[in-house]
């Protein structure tokens, strides 16, 4: 009787041990499957990102003003679409001190004034008067400069900004432009600002080329189902191809240029 009882206990212990081992094996298998899947997704995501970056480089070189599609390998491809972007009524968020926004006017019909709207932003908007330095370029080569801030210190060449009356912006100023004006540069002074630009009674020409590039990786997954991973890039470039604004940033912000 004692031997049979002991044998029964041993059998029960063995069953419990086998159950624990089986449970651990299933859990480990499931975890391994999940980790493998995560690694596959990470690899595909990285490959899709590289495809988008490669597509953008090819589009900028081979199709600066057109759409472009291409294949990297059997599973990887990209699509780049191109469009022009106008800034007839546009908002530029978080313009840094010394940063310049270029507004091109060549080809405008009956231009009169360009309204600038700005709002101090940052940790302490009242720390220093926030203003704008404006350069109006003429086709003859003439450059007319204006400077406006919240104090209007005429002794150093600053005019007083107007109250905007536009939600989201505290200050405004109308800048005169004519049919011979080629572009207007607006540089943030004194601190960071949100900038708005409005053409009054006329239409600005297209300002930017925008490229939207999507890199795509497609594979056959479990159960012969097609799995797709995509990565997108959005890139904007001046149509006029002017000097990079980093040079003006260094000039007006007091910062240096480093590679």
């Amino acid at each position: 009787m004692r031997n049979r009882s002991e044998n029964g206990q041993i059998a029960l212990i063995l069953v419990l041990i086998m159950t624990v081992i089986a449970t651990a094996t299933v859990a480990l298998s499931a975890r391994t499957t999940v980790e493998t899947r995560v690694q596959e997704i990470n690899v595909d995501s990285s490959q899709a990102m590289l495809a988008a970056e490669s597509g953008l480089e090819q589009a900028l070189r081979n199709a600066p003003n057109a759409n472009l599609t291409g294949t990297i390998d059997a599973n990887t491809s990209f699509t780049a679409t191109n469009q022009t972007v106008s800034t007839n009524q546009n908002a530029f968020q978080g313009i840094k001190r010394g940063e310049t926004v270029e507004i091109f006017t060549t080809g405008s019909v009956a231009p009169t004034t360009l309204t600038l709207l700005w709002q101090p932003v940052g940790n302490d908007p009242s720390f220093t008067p926030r203003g704008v330095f404006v350069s109006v370029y003429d086709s003859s080569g003439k450059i007319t400069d204006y400077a406006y801030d919240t104090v209007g210190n005429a002794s150093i060449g600053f005019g007083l900004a107007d109250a905007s009356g536009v939600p989201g912006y505290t200050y405004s100023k109308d800048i005169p432009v004519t049919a011979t004006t080629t572009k207007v540069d607006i540089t943030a002074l004194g601190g960071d600002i949100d900038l708005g630009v409005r053409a009054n009674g006329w239409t600005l020409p297209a300002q930017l080329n925008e490229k939207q590039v999507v890199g795509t990786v497609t594979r056959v997954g479990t159960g012969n189902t097609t799995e797709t991973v995509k990565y997108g890039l959005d890139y904007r470039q001046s149509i006029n191809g002017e000097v990079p604004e980093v040079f003006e940033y260094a000039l007006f912000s007091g910062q240096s240029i480093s590679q």
Side-chain angles (χ1 to χ4, degrees), residues 78-246:
F78 68 85
T79 301
T81 57
N82 187 85
Q83 62 180 350
T84 56
V85 181
S86 176
T87 55
N88 207 44
Q89 294 192 34
N90 208 340
F92 302 86
Q93 302 293 324
I95 303 302
K96 302 296 183 181
R97 177 175 64 94
E99 186 176 352
T100 298
V101 174
E102 293 180 321
I103 303 297
F104 300 98
T105 60
T106 301
S108 301
V109 178
T112 53
T113 60
L114 190 68
T115 298
L116 308 183
L117 306 161
W118 68 94
Q119 173 67 29
V121 296
N123 294 331
D124 186 4
S126 63
F127 176 73
T128 184
R130 306 295 173 95
V132 291
F133 183 85
V134 184
S135 295
V136 179
Y137 292 76
D138 190 88
S139 58
S140 65
K142 178 183 178 182
I143 302 175
T144 304
D145 294 329
Y146 304 90
Y148 301 100
D149 65 11
T150 57
V151 177
N153 191 340
S155 64
I156 57 174
F158 277 83
L160 181 63
D162 298 328
S164 75
V166 177
Y169 298 99
T170 303
Y171 307 104
S172 73
K173 203 67 185 181
D174 288 343
I175 306 299
V177 293
T178 67
T180 59
T181 300
T182 57
K183 73 167 183 170
V184 178
D185 283 357
I186 307 107
T187 303
L189 297 181
D192 302 350
I193 62 172
D194 285 343
L195 176 68
V197 177
R198 287 186 174 183
N200 299 316
W202 53 286
T203 302
L204 282 168
Q207 300 290 306
L208 302 168
N209 267 344
E210 180 181 53
K211 288 191 177 295
Q212 295 178 337
V213 187
V214 177
T216 303
V217 175
T218 303
R219 301 188 189 278
V220 177
T222 55
N224 290 326
T225 58
T226 301
E227 300 174 344
T228 301
V229 176
K230 294 185 176 183
Y231 184 90
L233 290 175
D234 190 13
Y235 176 84
R236 289 187 175 190
Q237 184 178 39
S238 167
I239 289 177
N240 293 268
E242 294 295 320
V243 174
E245 66 184 25
V246 66

Side-chain angles (χ1 to χ4, degrees), residues 35-78:
E35 290 180 349
T36 301
R37 180 60 182 147
V38 169
Q39 290 177 355
E40 290 176 350
I41 293 175
N42 288 338
V43 169
D44 288 349
S45 297
S46 298
Q47 189 167 337
M49 179 187 69
L50 293 174
E53 292 176 347
S54 175
L56 177 59
E57 291 180 1
Q58 293 188 46
L60 291 174
R61 182 179 66 249
N62 301 326
N65 300 306
N67 300 334
L68 184 68
T69 59
T71 300
I72 308 299
D73 59 29
N75 301 317
T76 311
S77 62
F78 68 85

